[in-house]
Amino acid sequence: MLKLLITGASGFIGRNLADAFVDRYKVYTPGSAELNLLDSGATRDYLAKHKFDVVLHSATTRSNRRLGAPADMLDRNCRMFFNLAHDEDLFGKMIYFGSGAEYDRRDLPPRVSEDYFDTQIPADPYGFSKYICAKYTDHRPKIINLRLFGVFGKYEDYTVRFLSNACARVVCGLPIVIRQNVVFDYLYVQDLAKVTDCFIENTPRERSLNVCTGNGRDLLYLAQIIAEVSRKNPEIKILNSGMGPEYTADNARLLREIPSLQFEPPEQSIASLYDWYEENRNAIDTASLRYDG
C-alpha cells in the first residue's frame, strides 16, 4: 500500500483528498503542531522518518474578500513548498496544487493554455508565490504541478465561495447573491480526486497541467441549477451589471494524459453539494451568509 502525505489536510482541498484516499492508501494528515512546514529542519526530519511514496502538497496561505492577505503570504507559501521540494530525495514524488493565479489574472485570455505561463508575472503576492513554485516545478522531474482554477465541494468556505455560498443561502431561505456575472470553469472536488489518483499511480509526461473541465459556465446559469435542484424557487440577485473577466482554461494537455477522464455533469455535482448543505444545515452560520447583501 502506497504511503501518502497530505499537507493542508484541515483545508478544503486536503480534507477532501484525505476522504477520497483513506481507504486506498496509507494516508498521513499531520497538523502544523506535528509538521511545521515553515521549519526546514523539522520538515526534513519528518520526511526522513516516514519515507512517503507521494506527497500531496495542498497547504497554502491565501486571502479572500473577507480575509486580507497577510504581509508574509509570499514568504509562507514559498517556504512551505521549498522546504518539501528541497528534500525530494526523501520521497517518491510530489503533487503540488498550483493555481490559475500563476498566469496573472490581469488581461488573462479565455481558455488559457499552459503555453501562456510566464507571459506575465503576477502582481499579487498569492499569484506571485504560486508563480515562483511553478517555475521551479518545470525543472524538477519528481514534482507535478496540478494548476487549479475554480474547485468546489463540501468543506469549502461557504461565506465567500460562490457555489457553496449559494447552496447555503437557499438552505437558509435567503436569496442567491451574485456580485457580478462571470464565466468560470468550476471543477468538482471529487473530479479533482480522480485526476490526483491517476497521477499518484502514474507519472505524466508534462510537469504542469491545467486541471479543469474545459467548459466555462456563467454564475447565473449555475445559480439557476441550484434553484432547480432545491425546488425552493429562490430569488437570484445580481448586484452589478455586465460580465466580469472570464476565468477559464484549456485542458487539452490533461486529456492527453488521461484520455478516459469523464467529469461529473454540473447538475449532478451541484445537486450533491446542495444535499450536503441540507444535511449539515445546523452548522451554517446564517449571519455570515449576508456578507454580499
Side-chain angles (χ1 to χ4, degrees):
M1 180 179 289
L2 292 178
K3 188 186 293 187
L4 269 58
L5 167 63
I6 301 179
T7 70
S10 62
F12 164 53
I13 298 293
R15 192 174 174 187
N16 276 282
L17 293 179
D19 281 0
F21 299 144
V22 68
D23 294 329
R24 293 202 50 180
Y25 305 112
K26 188 172 184 180
V27 176
Y28 289 70
T29 57
S32 57
E34 185 179 356
L35 172 58
N36 180 6
L37 291 173
L38 297 174
D39 184 327
S40 59
T43 301
R44 183 170 181 83
D45 289 346
Y46 191 86
L47 294 174
K49 176 182 177 181
H50 294 289
K51 295 179 169 49
F52 295 103
D53 296 295
V54 183
V55 174
L56 304 181
H57 181 43
S58 69
T60 190
T61 300
R62 62 184 310 148
S63 61
N64 56 44
R65 298 196 306 278
R66 299 187 67 179
L67 180 66
D72 62 348
M73 174 186 284
L74 175 64
D75 182 82
R76 290 177 62 88
N77 284 342
C78 288
R79 286 189 184 279
M80 287 190 290
F81 173 85
F82 284 105
N83 283 342
L84 290 166
H86 180 265
D87 293 323
E88 63 181 357
D89 59 309
L90 298 177
F91 53 78
K93 64 182 170 184
M94 175 171 154
I95 297 175
Y96 165 64
F97 296 94
S99 168
E102 297 164 18
Y103 291 121
D104 190 58
R105 292 188 63 175
R106 298 171 299 174
D107 302 319
L108 188 67
R111 293 186 57 80
V112 63
S113 72
E114 290 89 351
D115 292 337
Y116 185 83
F117 179 70
D118 211 13
T119 299
Q120 295 194 98
I121 299 174
D124 65 289
Y126 177 75
F128 189 41
S129 70
K130 293 291 188 178
Y131 167 86
I132 292 169
C133 298
K135 287 283 283 183
Y136 183 83
T137 299
D138 282 345
H139 304 286
R140 311 308 299 181
K142 294 178 70 171
I143 306 176
I144 304 161
N145 177 17
L146 301 186
R147 191 173 282 135
L148 308 181
F149 290 78
V151 182
F152 74 96
K154 64 181 183 179
Y155 307 142
E156 69 179 331
D157 184 353
Y158 64 81
T159 66
V160 292
R161 301 295 295 271
F162 174 71
L163 286 171
S164 279
N165 182 269
C167 288
R169 279 177 172 274
V170 175
V171 166
C172 295
L174 297 171
I176 296 174
V177 176
I178 300 171
R179 298 178 74 201
Q180 185 178 30
N181 199 14
V182 63
V183 175
F184 266 87
D185 188 337
Y186 276 109
L187 177 73
Y188 190 33
V189 73
Q190 291 188 18
D191 286 330
L192 174 60
K194 289 191 299 187
V195 170
T196 304
D197 199 23
C198 287
F199 295 133
I200 288 172
E201 300 285 351
N202 306 281
T203 300
R205 293 180 292 273
E206 304 283 355
R207 301 267 57 78
S208 297
L209 303 99
N210 290 340
V211 179
C212 57
T213 68
N215 292 307
R217 295 177 173 88
D218 68 88
L219 300 187
L220 178 58
Y221 173 81
L222 298 172
Q224 290 167 340
I225 293 177
I226 295 170
E228 182 176 347
V229 301
S230 73
R231 300 179 181 176
K232 292 185 177 181
N233 193 31
E235 179 186 3
I236 300 174
K237 298 165 59 177
I238 301 178
L239 302 183
N240 299 290
S241 62
M243 294 291 293
E246 184 170 329
Y247 191 48
T248 58
D250 180 359
N251 67 353
R253 183 181 290 186
L254 175 68
L255 296 180
R256 285 196 295 270
E257 297 287 350
I258 316 175
S260 62
L261 181 61
Q262 297 289 322
F263 299 102
E264 188 162 341
E267 294 79 7
Q268 295 179 22
S269 55
I270 290 174
S272 297
L273 181 64
Y274 181 83
D275 289 345
W276 187 80
Y277 277 102
E278 278 280 20
E279 294 166 4
N280 293 275
R281 61 166 47 208
N282 292 335
I284 299 173
D285 176 11
T286 306
S288 70
L289 295 172
R290 300 178 183 274
Y291 181 72
D292 281 329

